[in-house]
């Protein structure tokens, strides 16, 4: 299982861009990088997934360098409603589901007015 | 579009009592999972199922049993509850064909006294 390391917490002011970096030095060839968001008292929610380079959707962007040993989740112009815990997952969920993918402790993002 | 529904949402048990948590999904997903979330521990996989009639142990299976008699339902049982099982339990499901994301329920907050 690929181990991930991400900051325990981050603070940001409203309107700023937030970048959360995840380190995954032992990522395997078939592994994808997936980010989830969890609000208090709710289950995690999928944000974005990528394999290499850059992926963008309506919520966030995911930047993955060529060596794939790290990735950066970018949230543009955060608002108070983006206050949540963000999890970086690395694994080959495509070949067999999420049973071999580990949720770490995540990064607690606090957006400040 | 209900997605993944967990019942009950809250429960208080006395040590030694038994109970069953029900998870139902309406997305025809093959894979289903039970996680527990404790403060500072992230989500840990208890048991999972890759299809109707099959179950397998995850990272922390002791003290729990599961059953998947119908494809849409995944039951988590506690035969003799212990205070160490006080936690928030999340059920999730994912598709075998389109395995990009897992869909989570809203969680069950269980307190064992």
């Amino acid at each position: 299982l690929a181990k991930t390391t991400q900051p325990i917490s981050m603070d940001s002011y409203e309107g700023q861009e937030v970048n959360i970096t995840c380190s995954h030095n032992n990522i395997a060839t078939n592994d994808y990088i997936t980010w989830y968001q969890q609000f208090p008292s709710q289950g995690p929610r999928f944000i974005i997934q990528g394999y290499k380079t850059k992926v963008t959707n309506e919520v966030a962007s995911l930047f993955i360098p060529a060596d794939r040993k790290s990735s950066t989740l970018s949230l543009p112009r955060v608002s108070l409603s983006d206050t949540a815990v963000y999890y970086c997952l690395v694994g080959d969920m495509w070949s067999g589901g999420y049973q071999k993918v580990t949720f770490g402790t995540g990064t607690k993002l606090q957006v400040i007015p | 579009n209900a997605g993944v529904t967990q019942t009950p949402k809250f429960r208080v048990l006395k040590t030694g009592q038994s109970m069953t948590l029900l998870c139902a999904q309406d997305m025809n997903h093959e894979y289903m999972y039970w996680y527990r979330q404790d403060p500072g521990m992230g989500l840990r996989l208890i048991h999972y199922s890759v299809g109707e009639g099959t179950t397998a142990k995850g990272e922390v299976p002791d003290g729990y049993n599961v059953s998947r008699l119908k494809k849409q339902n995944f039951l988590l049982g506690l035969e003799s509850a212990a205070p160490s099982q006080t936690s928030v339990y999340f059920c999730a499901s994912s598709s075998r064909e389109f395995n990009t994301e897992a869909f989570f329920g809203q969680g069950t907050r269980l307190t064992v006294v």
Side-chain angles (χ1 to χ4, degrees):
Chain A
L1 297 177
K3 178 179 168 57
T4 61
T5 303
Q6 52 183 124
I8 294 174
S9 64
M10 295 179 66
D11 291 338
S12 176
Y13 288 103
E14 270 191 300
Q16 289 188 328
E17 178 184 74
V18 171
N19 295 310
I20 306 174
T21 297
C22 180
S23 172
H24 28 81
N25 290 320
N26 61 338
I27 188 170
T29 301
N30 293 334
D31 287 348
Y32 282 75
I33 300 156
T34 310
W35 286 80
Y36 278 77
Q37 175 190 55
Q38 185 179 24
F39 298 115
S41 302
Q42 293 188 25
R45 181 176 72 104
F46 173 90
I47 301 176
I48 196 166
Q49 184 183 75
Y51 184 79
K52 60 181 179 181
T53 64
K54 176 184 175 182
V55 180
T56 297
N57 61 23
E58 65 277 6
V59 176
S61 294
L62 178 59
F63 298 92
I64 305 169
D67 66 6
R68 304 201 325 123
K69 293 184 183 298
S70 67
S71 59
T72 300
L73 175 72
S74 181
L75 304 172
R77 300 180 59 81
V78 294
S79 64
L80 294 177
S81 63
D82 292 315
T83 293
V85 177
Y86 293 83
Y87 296 94
C88 168
L89 281 66
V90 173
D92 184 14
M93 61 280 290
W94 284 91
S95 73
Y98 274 73
Q99 52 267 30
K100 294 184 179 180
V101 180
T102 302
F103 281 81
T105 53
T107 297
K108 186 172 184 178
L109 172 66
Q110 180 70 51
V111 180
I112 306 165
Chain B
N1 185 13
V4 178
T5 303
Q6 293 182 230
T7 53
K9 290 185 171 49
F10 304 93
R11 185 72 186 270
V12 178
L13 282 180
K14 292 183 179 179
T15 298
Q17 286 185 320
S18 64
M19 80 162 294
T20 300
L21 282 68
L22 171 63
C23 177
Q25 53 96 2
D26 62 1
M27 296 171 283
N28 202 35
H29 286 168
E30 292 80 9
Y31 300 149
M32 296 188 75
Y33 318 87
W34 275 108
Y35 294 89
R36 61 177 288 174
Q37 186 171 38
D38 303 296
M41 298 291 289
L43 279 84
R44 293 183 291 170
L45 183 64
I46 305 171
H47 285 280
Y48 64 95
S49 169
V50 298
E52 180 178 316
T54 72
T55 63
K57 295 180 180 180
E59 180 185 355
V60 289
D62 293 343
Y64 305 95
N65 56 75
V66 288
S67 64
R68 183 104 180 262
L69 299 179
K70 294 182 179 181
K71 186 177 184 180
Q72 64 268 32
N73 295 338
F74 195 28
L75 279 63
L76 177 70
L78 287 73
E79 289 188 350
S80 180
S84 60
Q85 294 177 304
T86 294
S87 187
V88 180
Y89 293 86
F90 288 100
C91 176
S93 70
S94 66
S95 167
R96 178 163 51 209
E97 290 184 22
F98 307 101
N99 226 330
T100 299
E101 64 179 292
F103 294 82
F104 283 80
Q106 290 292 87
T108 296
R109 184 174 294 275
L110 175 66
T111 302
V112 183
V113 298

